[in-house]
């Protein structure tokens, strides 16, 4: 009779679990002026590339910075796009209420499985309030405050995130009133 340890050794011989090798990087997101009430303002994206073995991503943590107040952002959404850091063609993963002032950290549950060799973009977007404050901005600096992911298994992560996301500056309608000069006259 084999001991339990010997039996387990025989059963698991050659069946080692590979650790997912994950590389994170930051594509460029251009700075822009965005109007009050705009939806799907791309604030930041993380490109994830998976090697060695498949992995499931089950959470994302990020900090939005800037000078926004509790009235500026209604919600933050997380999307996944296999081909580009844009919302068009992306899959919705989850959202969270974002009625806080800057800076604010978020932790959002998501569920996205990635196969070996797969790469794609996790995109963080903001939906702005109709009464958001003019000239406030939102930004995420991946170099000093990178996005962190939770995985289904222990993973080896190479983090190459950078400060490649520009400021998203809120704009209100600028109304200019002009009063023409009217010469005084005598009216009879």
């Amino acid at each position: 009779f084999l001991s339990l340890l010997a039996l387990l050794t025989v059963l698991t011989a050659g069946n080692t679990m590979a650790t997912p090798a994950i590389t994170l990087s930051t594509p460029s997101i251009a700075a822009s002026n965005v109007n009050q009430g705009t939806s799907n303002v791309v604030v930041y994206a993380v490109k994830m590339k998976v090697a060695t073995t498949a992995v499931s991503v089950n959470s994302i943590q990020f900090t939005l910075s800037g000078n926004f107040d509790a009235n500026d952002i209604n919600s933050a959404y997380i999307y996944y796009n296999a081909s580009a850091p844009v919302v068009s063609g992306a899959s919705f993963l989850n959202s969270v209420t974002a009625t806080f002032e800057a800076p604010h950290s978020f932790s959002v549950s998501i569920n996205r499985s990635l196969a070996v060799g797969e790469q794609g973009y996790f995109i963080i977007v903001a939906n702005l309030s109709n009464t958001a404050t003019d000239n406030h901005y939102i930004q995420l600096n991946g170099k000093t405050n990178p996005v962190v992911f939770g995985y289904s298994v222990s993973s080896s992560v190479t983090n190459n995130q950078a400060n490649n996301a520009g400021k998203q500056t809120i704009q209100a309608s600028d109304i200019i009133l002009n009063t023409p000069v009217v010469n005084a006259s005598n009216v009879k």
Side-chain angles (χ1 to χ4, degrees), residues 23-178:
T23 302
L24 304 176
S25 60
T26 309
S28 293
I29 304 295
S32 66
N33 292 323
V34 290
N35 294 327
Q36 293 170 315
T38 301
S39 296
N40 293 328
V41 176
V42 176
V43 176
Y44 191 79
V46 180
K47 182 177 184 180
M48 182 180 289
K49 186 175 184 179
V50 177
T52 313
T53 190
V55 69
S56 290
V57 182
N58 54 32
S59 68
I60 182 172
Q61 296 87 39
F62 58 93
T63 300
L64 294 180
S65 60
N67 64 349
F68 59 88
D69 61 38
N71 180 58
D72 292 340
I73 306 171
N74 288 332
S75 53
Y77 283 68
I78 312 302
Y79 290 93
Y80 178 82
N81 190 326
S83 58
V86 296
V87 175
S88 178
S91 300
F92 170 77
L93 298 178
N94 206 349
S95 64
V96 63
T97 300
T99 52
F100 306 98
E101 65 182 37
H104 189 78
S105 296
F106 297 88
S107 182
V108 184
S109 295
I110 58 175
N111 184 13
R112 176 69 179 147
S113 295
L114 285 88
V116 175
E118 185 174 354
Q119 60 186 8
Y121 300 88
F122 288 87
I123 306 159
I124 300 168
V125 305
N127 288 349
L128 303 180
S129 165
N130 289 330
T131 57
T133 306
D134 193 28
N135 294 318
H136 278 187
Y137 71 92
I138 310 160
Q139 189 170 29
L140 196 156
N141 183 331
K143 182 171 181 70
T144 59
N145 205 355
V147 171
V148 176
F149 293 93
Y151 305 100
S152 57
V153 296
S154 179
S155 302
S156 173
V157 178
T158 302
N159 190 348
N160 295 324
Q161 292 182 68
N163 188 20
N164 289 347
K167 290 180 181 179
Q168 304 305 307
T169 305
I170 300 165
Q171 296 296 294
S173 297
D174 294 325
I175 299 171
I176 299 172
L177 300 175
N178 291 318

